[in-house]
Amino acid sequence: MSHRRRRNTHTPKAVAEFARFLRTETVGGLILLAATAVALLWANSPAGGIYQAVRDTEIGPHLLHLNLSVGDWAKDGLLALFFFVAGLELKRELVIGELSNVKAAVLPAIAALGGMVVPAVIALSVAWGDPRAGDVWAVPVATDIAFALGVLALTGSGMPNSARVFLLSLAVVDDLGAILIIAVLFTSTFDLIAFGVALLLMALYWYLQKKRVTSTWLYVPLAVAVWVAVHSSGVHATVAGVALGLLTRVKRDPFEKESPCLRLEHRLQPWSAGLAVPMFALFAAGVPVNAETLSKLTHDRMALAVIIGLVVGKLIGITGVSLLAVKLKLAVMPPDLGKRDLFAVSMLGGVGFTVSLLIADLSLDGENAELAKAAVLVASAVASLLAAALLIKRSKAHQDD
C-alpha cells in the first residue's frame, strides 16, 4: 500500500513520499515475483522433496501451540508483519488520508465492496454443486496490492494520479474485507482466556501510545506477546498485526518530525515487502505444475471458480459497481479519470496472489489447496498481463492528449 493524496496537503513532500512508496512497492513486487518463480522451480525440480521437507519441518516449542512448520511460521508469523503495515495504512487513511474525506472515500469503498462480493458470487456459482464450493468462494475476494502497484508503476506511468489514488484507496478497504473474512471464517477453536490476555495486551499498547512512550525495547516484546496470545486463542495470528496497526497513533505532535504510524511504515514496509511477503510466497507458491494440474485448471470446477472469480469477477465487480454508484449519484468519478481508465485499473483487482494464497491455504487441504493455489497463480498472471496491456494503451492515450 502507499501514501495517497490528502485533502489540502498536496505538498512537494507528500508527492515525494507517494513516489518513494511506489518505487518501494515496485521493487517489492519484483522480489515477490522472484520468490514465486524460485518456489515453482524448486518444488517441480528433482529437489522437490527437499522443498517439501523444509516447508514441513516443525520449529518451536509445544507450549502455546508454537510448534509450527516452516511454512506455517511464514504464513502465521511473517505475514503478521505484512498485516501490521496494512493496519498502519488503514488507520492513517481513516484518520488523515483519502478515507477520512467521506466524499472522496465513497467511490473506492463501494468499488472495493463490489470487487469482493461479485467474485465471491461468481466463484460460488461456477462451483455450485461441487462439495468444495463452500470452501473456495472466499479465495478470489482479495487483491494483492504489492503486485497491483508494481504493474501500475511499471506500465501506467502516463495514467492520471487519480487512478493511483483510486486503486490505493480501494486496496485499503479490500484489505479490511480480507482481514474480516480471515478473522471470522478461519477461527476453528476459540480460547477465551488467551483472547482476553490479547485484549489486555492490546489495551496496554494503546495506553503506551497515548502516553507517547517510544521505546522499541518495550514495544517489540509487547507485539510478540500479542501475537502469541492471538495465535493461542484460535483467531488467525495475522489479525494481531492488523489490530496493533489500528491502535498506533497517527497524528504528529508538534515536537515530532513524524508520527509513530508514519515512522513505523517507513521502517517496516521494506521488511514486509522485501522479506515477509516473499518468504510466504516461497513456501506457499511451490505447487506441482504438471500435465495433470494444467488439465485440471481447464475443467475442474473449483479451479475455474478461482480463475473466473479473480479475472472476470473482480473486473465486473469493481467497474460495474463503480459506474452504477456514479449513475445513481451515490459517488462521483474523479474529474480526470475516464471510464476506460477505470476499466484498466479495475483489471488489476484480479491480481489476487498473497492474500488469496493465504485464504486457499486456510480454507482447503491437501491436493485441493495445491490446485486452488495454482489457479490463483494463473489468474494473477492473466490479470497482470491484461492490466499491463490496458494501462500501456491508456497511458499512451493520455500522453497524446
Side-chain angles (χ1 to χ4, degrees), residues 384-395:
S384 296
L385 293 173
L386 291 175
L390 291 169
L391 288 167
I392 291 172
K393 185 176 181 180
R394 292 307 303 155
S395 290

Side-chain angles (χ1 to χ4, degrees), residues 32 79 82 144 146 277 280-281 351-359 376:
L32 184 56
L79 271 196
F82 165 78
D144 188 287
V277 176
F280 165 75
V351 184
F353 211 82
T354 305
V355 183
S356 289
L357 288 175
L358 174 61
I359 294 176
V376 168

Side-chain angles (χ1 to χ4, degrees), residues 1 70 95 97 115 125 138 211 214 221 235 251 255 301 305 313 324-325 336:
M1 283 173 289
V70 171
V95 176
S125 301
K211 291 299 181 180
T214 59
V235 178
K251 293 185 177 179
F255 60 85
R301 290 172 67 183
L324 180 62
D336 57 348

Side-chain angles (χ1 to χ4, degrees), residues 27 45 174 192 277 282 378:
V27 174
S45 71
D174 187 280
L192 184 59
V277 176
L282 179 64
V378 169

Side-chain angles (χ1 to χ4, degrees), residues 143-198:
T143 294
D144 188 287
I145 193 56
F147 262 0
L149 277 178
V151 175
L152 180 62
L154 289 170
T155 63
S157 58
M159 294 289 287
N161 191 55
S162 58
R164 293 172 171 82
V165 173
F166 174 80
L167 174 64
L168 299 169
S169 300
L170 179 149
V172 171
V173 182
D174 187 280
D175 279 348
L176 179 60
I179 290 160
L180 291 174
I181 288 173
I182 291 170
V184 173
L185 296 185
F186 303 113
T187 301
S188 54
T189 59
F190 187 71
D191 187 320
L192 184 59
I193 295 176
F195 188 71
V197 171

Side-chain angles (χ1 to χ4, degrees), residues 16-79:
E17 286 295 335
F18 183 76
R20 181 202 66 79
F21 211 99
L22 276 181
R23 287 194 298 271
T24 304
E25 290 290 356
T26 304
V27 174
L30 293 174
I31 295 173
L32 184 56
L33 183 61
T36 303
V38 170
L40 288 169
L41 291 172
W42 189 5
N44 291 279
S45 71
I50 298 176
Y51 174 85
Q52 293 181 5
V54 172
R55 183 189 61 190
D56 298 336
T57 299
E58 289 191 356
I59 301 174
H62 287 269
L63 181 67
L64 300 175
H65 311 290
L66 294 178
N67 54 321
L68 305 176
S69 68
V70 171
D72 284 338
W73 274 113
K75 178 174 65 179
D76 295 354
L78 288 176
L79 271 196

Side-chain angles (χ1 to χ4, degrees), residues 203-242:
L204 176 59
Y205 180 92
W206 170 83
Y207 179 78
L208 293 173
Q209 285 285 299
K210 185 178 180 180
K211 291 299 181 180
R212 287 9 186 203
V213 176
T214 59
S215 173
T216 301
W217 295 104
L218 186 58
Y219 280 117
V220 171
L222 180 58
V224 172
V226 171
W227 181 89
V228 171
V230 172
H231 172 75
S232 299
S233 73
V235 178
H236 197 266
T238 53
V239 174
V242 181

